[in-house]
Amino acid sequence: MISRWWQRLRQRREARVLERRAIDEALWQRTVASLPFLAERPARDLERLRRMASLFLDRKEFSGAGGFVVDDAIALSVAVQACLPVLELGLAQYDAFVGIVMHADAVVARREVTDEHGIVHRYDEVLAGEAMEGGPLMLSWADVQGGGGDSGPAPPTAYNVVIHEFAHVLDMRDGVPDGVPLLPTAEDRRAWLAVLMPAYDRFCERVVCGYDTVLDAYAAESPDEFFAVASEGFFVTPRELKEEQPALYQLLASYYRQDPAALP
Ligand SMILES: [Zn+2]
């Protein structure tokens, strides 16, 4: 009984949010048109994404760094791209954090590592985005804008910093950024690794040998980056990913409960 009452309360609350956070029609059309991998989604998906984006905008807090102004168009673009991976999983997947910090451009982060001889190495890392456990999530707007699924000259490569960083959020739900999202059982985790790791090893070989790949070579960095980059490919260039890495594609299709390569 209590759960039904709770459900009704939640539905009423959501209905109020959807009214308050209703997305302007013209802005919605412009946003979808700017993202070709979204534009080809069926109307039913787009309607659900629009609803989810309203709830996302209500739950998350955007802030601009260094005077950068996050307007409605920027926030909506991020929201709808972030919602796509969790279309079938639900927004609660992102409950662990609230803040999203937007920069105008990539951020240079000073890094320090100490090697086995105790020598400290300092270097700069250029970040298009960064997800940390518990948030906030950081994104560069210049890089988000480059994430529309540029097919360019063949072979097409996927690039989408929003999907990439939110895939890291999903990966970290079990507390460890290791390329394995939160799965129901230890057996599921073993089955996941039995597909992911051979695909990762093959990918690294291809990169070392200098072959072209659908996924960005950065995916060879580590299994967690491989999962994040593969998620970009899964949503932005699904048919190409399915052809190059069929087992990996199926793994992601069963996790995300979507089959974007099958879209007409
Ligand atoms: Zn990453």
Side-chain angles (χ1 to χ4, degrees):
M1 285 309 267
I2 192 86
S3 71
R4 230 183 246 171
W5 171 81
W6 192 223
Q7 206 178 358
R8 271 207 308 276
L9 185 76
R10 211 186 63 185
Q11 280 168 352
R12 270 209 300 274
R13 203 184 295 153
E14 281 194 2
R16 275 203 303 274
V17 170
L18 290 172
E19 210 175 307
R20 196 174 64 234
R21 290 278 187 179
I23 295 164
D24 174 76
E25 178 63 24
L27 177 61
W28 173 252
Q29 296 300 341
R30 273 203 308 279
T31 305
V32 171
S34 71
L35 300 162
F37 62 94
L38 271 189
E40 64 177 26
R41 289 269 169 167
R44 198 183 71 94
D45 282 4
L46 290 175
E47 210 34 64
R48 289 166 63 218
L49 274 172
R50 185 172 177 166
R51 186 178 178 280
M52 252 186 159
S54 286
L55 299 172
F56 182 97
L57 291 169
D58 189 66
R59 291 178 199 181
K60 302 299 177 217
E61 274 168 23
F62 282 86
S63 57
F68 182 69
V69 178
V70 183
D71 63 18
D72 287 354
I74 292 172
L76 178 60
S77 179
V78 171
V80 71
Q81 293 179 78
C83 286
L84 182 63
V86 294
L87 182 62
E88 305 298 337
L89 305 176
L91 263 188
Q93 299 282 334
Y94 298 151
D95 277 356
F97 74 101
V98 169
I100 298 174
V101 181
M102 303 283 308
H103 292 256
D105 216 325
V107 173
V108 178
R110 288 274 143 81
R111 302 295 199 204
E112 234 182 66
V113 285
T114 308
D115 67 19
E116 66 268 35
H117 307 295
I119 298 166
V120 178
H121 301 266
R122 293 185 181 87
Y123 62 100
D124 289 343
E125 195 179 1
V126 181
L127 301 171
E130 192 175 36
M132 282 165 284
E133 215 188 330
L137 191 134
M138 187 279 279
L139 292 166
S140 141
W141 175 237
D143 290 270
V144 172
Q145 283 178 301
D150 171 34
S151 290
T157 50
Y159 180 72
N160 189 291
V161 66
V162 179
I163 292 174
H164 182 103
E165 297 308 334
F166 279 85
H168 280 316
V169 172
L170 296 172
D171 183 357
M172 287 187 289
R173 280 204 71 217
D174 59 1
V176 205
D178 58 355
V180 189
L182 183 64
L183 298 170
T185 66
E187 181 50 42
D188 293 327
R189 185 184 161 82
R190 274 193 292 277
W192 179 277
L193 287 168
V195 178
L196 186 85
M197 292 317 288
Y200 173 62
D201 291 340
R202 267 199 311 280
F203 178 79
C204 292
E205 278 167 30
R206 283 179 74 109
V207 170
V208 168
C209 295
Y211 291 129
D212 282 330
T213 61
V214 171
L215 304 179
D216 193 282
Y218 179 65
E221 186 92 0
S222 57
D224 59 312
E225 293 303 340
F226 186 62
F227 169 63
V229 176
S231 295
E232 295 176 61
F234 180 76
F235 289 105
V236 178
T237 52
R239 284 172 276 275
E240 289 83 355
L241 179 67
K242 189 176 183 180
E243 200 181 315
E244 189 176 294
Q245 295 258 23
L248 177 66
Y249 179 89
Q250 286 312 329
L251 183 77
L252 296 176
S254 63
Y255 171 64
Y256 286 115
R257 296 185 214 151
Q258 299 188 43
D259 188 5
L263 292 171

